[in-house]
Amino acid sequence: MSHVDDAAPQLPHVRPLHLADAPQVLQAFRSDPEMSRQGAVTTPEEAVEYVRRVSNPGSGVAWAVCGRSGLVGVVGITVDHANRNGWFWYWMTAEARGRGWTTRAAVTVADWALTEGGLERLELGHRVNNPASGAVARAAGFVKEGTERGKFLIRGERIDVDTYGRLRTDPWPERARLPRIP
């Protein structure tokens, strides 16, 4: 795991999400209508609440994915401390997609969670009509475990969800990681 300790961090990189990121989180949610699947963030107050909720040490951890323009995405884990499991999730702004950063950030955070983070298992799910998310999951070392039929109701249509898991003992992906700034 590489840690970067420079005054000017390498780009892109991941670092813990902070309350000061709320304005950029709001900007990300306003920039793409599909972001509403990640939560309700339409006001500055909702952005602050979102950041507080996803980065609450009692229930989860969230990492900001940062590029030249600042925050361009978030990779998070909602933690089940009793079972040492985590629900893994991620999003990127439309402008930052297609560069491989989501995969690299997901690998970096999943590796951290299964080592320093103390978790034994990570899980994630994505709508079957979002194959890019499945590609990120597989590239980050997650193994497809099944499909939950008709899980979500989106605009009046039932949508299936593919589910994945990654165990501490699974083979680790041979993918580039992003620098991680503690």
Side-chain angles (χ1 to χ4, degrees), residues 102-143:
T102 309
T103 296
R104 292 177 62 197
V107 171
T108 303
V109 174
D111 288 358
W112 171 87
L114 295 169
T115 56
E116 295 171 56
L119 299 180
E120 298 289 333
R121 175 181 168 81
L122 298 173
E123 304 170 349
L124 70 82
H126 72 85
R127 294 172 286 143
V128 296
N129 62 355
N130 183 2
S133 189
V136 168
R138 290 185 300 279
F142 286 78
V143 175

Side-chain angles (χ1 to χ4, degrees), residues 51-153:
V51 171
R52 278 193 180 121
R53 181 174 40 81
V54 301
S55 60
N56 178 337
S59 61
V61 61
W63 294 84
V65 182
C66 299
R68 288 204 189 325
S69 62
L71 182 141
V72 296
V74 174
V75 177
I77 306 166
T78 305
V79 178
D80 171 357
H81 293 284
N83 292 299
R84 296 196 327 234
N85 292 335
W87 181 259
F88 196 83
W89 52 271
Y90 40 83
W91 58 259
M92 292 291 266
T93 61
E95 300 79 32
R97 293 177 197 149
R99 300 179 187 184
W101 293 3
T102 309
T103 296
R104 292 177 62 197
V107 171
T108 303
V109 174
D111 288 358
W112 171 87
L114 295 169
T115 56
E116 295 171 56
L119 299 180
E120 298 289 333
R121 175 181 168 81
L122 298 173
E123 304 170 349
L124 70 82
H126 72 85
R127 294 172 286 143
V128 296
N129 62 355
N130 183 2
S133 189
V136 168
R138 290 185 300 279
F142 286 78
V143 175
K144 185 175 176 185
E145 296 180 331
T147 300
E148 297 178 82
R149 298 176 303 135
K151 176 147 185 161
F152 293 136
L153 180 62

Side-chain angles (χ1 to χ4, degrees), residues 4 6 8-13 66 179 181:
V4 177
D6 296 337
Q10 295 178 353
L11 298 174
H13 64 272
C66 299
I181 300 174

